[in-house]
Amino acid sequence: MKTSLHWALLGIVAATGLAAATSPHIIHVSLPPRASSSTSQPVDHAFASFSLPAHFFADFTGNKSHPNLFSRDILDLLHKKTGAHPYVRLGGTSTDRLVYNASQLESVVLSEELENGIPLMVTVGPSWFEGFHNFPGSLWNFQANLASQGPEALNNTISVCEKVMEELKDKLVAFEIGNEPDLYALTKVRPATYTVYDYVQEWTRYAKAISQKVLSGNSYGLPERTFFQGLVYATQNLGTFTTANAFDAGLNHTNYIKSVSLHHYSSGNQPWVRLQNSFMNHTAVAGNLSAFKPDMDAIKRHNPNITFLLGETNSDYVNLNMTHVEGVFGSALWLIDYLLYGMTMNIARFNLIQGTTFGYTGWVPVRRNGLQPSVKPPLYGQIAVADIVGKNGRVQVQEVDLGIWNFSAYGIYECGKLSKYVLLNLDEWNSTSTHRRPVQRVTLHVPARADKAIVRRLTGPGANVETGVQWGGLEWNYAAGRLVQSGKDKVEKIKPRRGQLSVDIESSQCAVISFN
């Protein structure tokens, strides 16, 4: 659901500066050669991970007899680049409606669909759980059903959690309880008077039951108590539902909490939502994510050992009929900016939600509407970030404060030394634009030790396109059930002079400059 939409409005005002942003002036980018107190903490190599909803889970994973190797190849590609398997969170609105039927032969049965393509009920059989085995190296957290009510609701949740733990064993790292409880009153699964204090009581009852009936005495080495990821709010502040209020109400009095997850989508379907204004806008990205600082501070005051992450996030909470901003090349550029800025804030991880019909999904995992599975532009953003993070054991990130709303820059530190710059020209240029594609010159200040540099670019025919995207000259597509790479690796070599080098970067393009 939506959060921080007010920041997208800034783009409308800032758009009046477009002519200045594409003028011939040179942008100067400089950072200290060594990491400092302004640099992020070390980044988890699996920072950019995934969230899957229950109703599309089988599409993305398959089962033991028919695994989805296309999806597996994608996660394996990211692992190959970073050395870390992406985490997977199974959760969402449909998972909060999940019912287990041990005698059901079908993997999953979906009831009639509601708004935004989410079914009213998801009934799963034993074979549905086989999907957990399709990503062998990944660690998982699972969101248990809290929304459903009735005499068997808790027993159903216990049964599902038992089955999940049996399948995942030590690959299970946390249980969530409920999805976006701050919206329960609005969606009428709870009374209009439902508050955070009611939620904390319910949450604690479920956590105690799962701890005693599922985790207690497990043979997989999982903690029996401190094993829960709390809150999972849709918004940061809706009525009584705030991070501080939940902890003040006793959310962790019993020490069940190991991590806190909040959800975030950068925009919705308001008339003013545009690719440039709402997404290809560094001011909006920074503003949206900086809004989480009070939540992070509240958690730290309560217990500095509790991890904070965005456990469900992506570009737009309206996941259908938003093709002008979702699933286009500009959204891949937005994703890079979004992920890197999150790293600078020391958010532990982003779980990017995927869905077969969702416009922002990185890939469509199964054949649908007569079209074969496919790679979508947002995945290129994630692939680029995987290469940016790489395999170095200690990676840190620092933003370069340029004061420019549609251009951003970051420095990447490896073992404390500045090793890369990431440049994002967020000026929107489309394949249908009638003017020539503008070029921005950037002067980089590099460490004195650097005597050569390599430039790799994320390119596309325009911010509005869905095809023709390349990362360093390479493309990825679906063929015969697998992920196939094509193209030829393309980089540029530049020799710094007196600690500087210049790079030209077109509008709607990303360049990563690496130096020794």
Side-chain angles (χ1 to χ4, degrees):
M1 288 298 295
K2 60 183 178 180
T3 54
S4 304
L5 293 180
H6 63 285
W7 279 103
L9 285 168
L10 286 174
I12 299 176
V13 179
T16 60
L18 182 62
T22 54
S23 65
H25 78 281
I26 297 174
I27 295 175
H28 294 272
V29 172
S30 179
L31 282 176
R34 304 286 301 189
S36 67
S37 59
S38 299
T39 314
S40 75
Q41 297 172 3
V43 173
D44 186 339
H45 287 66
F47 180 90
S49 288
F50 296 109
S51 178
L52 300 176
H55 61 302
F56 288 137
F57 178 65
D59 286 355
F60 280 87
T61 63
N63 55 33
K64 286 183 178 179
S65 60
H66 295 86
N68 190 317
L69 299 180
F70 178 48
S71 292
R72 185 187 296 177
D73 288 344
I74 289 171
L75 270 69
D76 285 348
L77 174 66
L78 298 173
H79 166 248
K80 181 179 179 181
K81 291 178 176 295
T82 66
H85 294 277
Y87 287 80
V88 184
R89 175 245 187 184
L90 178 53
T93 302
S94 63
T95 318
D96 221 11
R97 301 167 178 170
L98 189 144
V99 174
Y100 177 46
N101 181 352
S103 62
Q104 179 175 298
L105 297 180
E106 299 94 340
S107 172
V108 58
V109 176
L110 307 179
S111 67
E112 63 181 278
E113 293 188 347
L114 297 180
E115 185 181 7
N116 232 23
I118 300 175
L120 180 64
M121 181 178 290
V122 178
T123 307
V124 301
S127 64
W128 183 83
F129 294 87
E130 295 176 5
F132 285 113
H133 300 281
N134 194 44
F135 309 134
S138 289
L139 300 176
W140 296 73
N141 58 291
F142 178 79
Q143 177 240 307
N145 182 343
L146 178 65
S148 298
Q149 293 183 293
E152 292 302 314
L154 180 55
N155 289 336
N156 170 71
T157 294
I158 294 296
S159 297
V160 172
C161 289
E162 286 177 335
K163 187 68 175 169
V164 168
M165 186 180 70
E166 289 171 3
E167 294 291 337
L168 287 174
K169 300 179 173 56
D170 61 352
K171 297 295 184 182
L172 179 66
V173 296
F175 281 124
E176 294 178 1
I177 300 173
N179 181 72
E180 300 179 348
D182 51 329
L183 301 183
Y184 278 3
L186 293 176
T187 54
K188 299 181 180 180
V189 298
R190 292 295 186 275
T193 56
Y194 191 71
T195 68
V196 70
Y197 309 103
D198 300 314
Y199 159 67
V200 168
Q201 289 184 1
E202 280 196 288
W203 188 94
T204 302
R205 182 166 69 93
Y206 270 60
K208 181 178 180 180
I210 295 170
S211 177
Q212 292 179 347
K213 298 182 179 181
V214 179
L215 294 169
S216 180
N218 75 83
S219 58
Y220 312 119
L222 306 181
E224 297 182 0
R225 178 177 288 269
T226 310
F227 197 69
F228 295 89
Q229 187 158 283
L231 298 192
V232 293
Y233 293 166
T235 65
Q236 295 146 276
N237 188 348
L238 182 62
T240 62
F241 284 87
T242 68
T243 297
N245 281 351
F247 280 101
D248 290 344
L251 181 71
N252 199 34
H253 281 178
T254 47
N255 294 315
Y256 287 129
I257 296 289
K258 68 176 294 186
S259 55
V260 165
S261 164
L262 295 179
H263 295 177
H264 183 253
Y265 295 83
S266 294
S267 204
N269 63 348
Q270 291 79 3
W272 42 261
V273 173
R274 296 290 185 273
L275 186 60
Q276 178 76 89
N277 300 337
S278 307
F279 300 102
M280 297 176 67
N281 179 340
H282 181 66
T283 303
V285 168
N288 275 320
L289 290 175
S290 295
F292 287 100
K293 286 182 179 178
D295 301 280
M296 298 171 71
D297 291 341
I299 295 165
K300 188 177 294 185
R301 285 194 301 269
H302 178 79
N303 184 342
N305 296 318
I306 292 176
T307 301
F308 174 74
L309 64 147
L310 296 186
E312 178 185 313
T313 187
N314 216 305
S315 60
D316 201 301
Y317 68 83
V318 179
N319 54 47
L320 302 173
N321 304 316
M322 295 290 290
T323 55
H324 58 295
V325 296
E326 296 177 353
V328 294
F329 179 54
S331 64
L333 298 173
W334 163 81
L335 183 58
I336 296 172
D337 200 22
Y338 187 61
L339 291 171
L340 292 178
Y341 195 84
M343 293 176 191
T344 70
M345 286 187 59
N346 297 316
I347 298 173
R349 188 168 68 250
F350 282 25
N351 288 81
L352 300 166
I353 188 165
Q354 309 295 305
T356 307
T357 63
F358 295 172
Y360 48 67
T361 195
W363 73 101
V364 179
V366 293
R367 188 175 182 85
R368 188 171 181 87
N369 297 330
L371 300 176
Q372 67 177 6
S374 60
V375 169
K376 297 296 184 180
L379 184 63
Y380 282 85
Q382 197 160 351
I383 291 172
V385 169
D387 275 330
I388 291 166
V389 172
K391 293 183 178 180
N392 186 276
R394 185 179 176 86
V395 176
Q396 296 167 273
V397 183
Q398 185 171 338
E399 181 196 10
V400 183
D401 187 4
L402 300 174
I404 303 174
W405 71 277
N406 62 352
F407 198 103
S408 61
Y410 299 87
I412 310 300
Y413 291 82
E414 297 178 344
C415 294
K417 297 180 180 180
L418 183 63
S419 64
K420 299 171 187 172
Y421 279 117
V422 181
L423 306 178
L424 285 153
N425 189 339
L426 300 172
D427 174 44
E428 182 182 357
W429 189 87
N430 293 318
S431 60
T432 54
S433 298
T434 56
H435 61 281
R436 293 183 63 183
R437 196 167 191 165
V439 175
Q440 176 64 60
R441 175 153 292 184
V442 182
T443 296
L444 301 172
H445 297 260
V446 300
R449 71 178 190 278
D451 59 6
K452 58 183 178 181
I454 294 176
V455 182
R456 190 180 303 273
R457 300 178 187 266
L458 181 65
T459 62
N464 61 328
V465 303
E466 296 184 19
T467 59
V469 180
Q470 292 186 340
W471 167 235
L474 301 177
E475 298 182 41
W476 289 267
N477 292 288
Y478 172 89
R482 306 302 296 258
L483 179 71
V484 176
Q485 177 181 297
S486 60
K488 185 176 181 180
D489 193 37
K490 181 181 179 181
V491 297
E492 305 152 41
K493 297 181 180 180
I494 304 177
K495 187 174 180 63
R497 294 185 179 182
R498 298 187 181 92
Q500 294 186 1
L501 57 85
S502 292
V503 176
D504 289 341
I505 177 170
E506 292 182 335
S507 293
S508 301
Q509 189 179 95
C510 171
V512 179
I513 301 91
S514 306
F515 33 87
N516 61 329

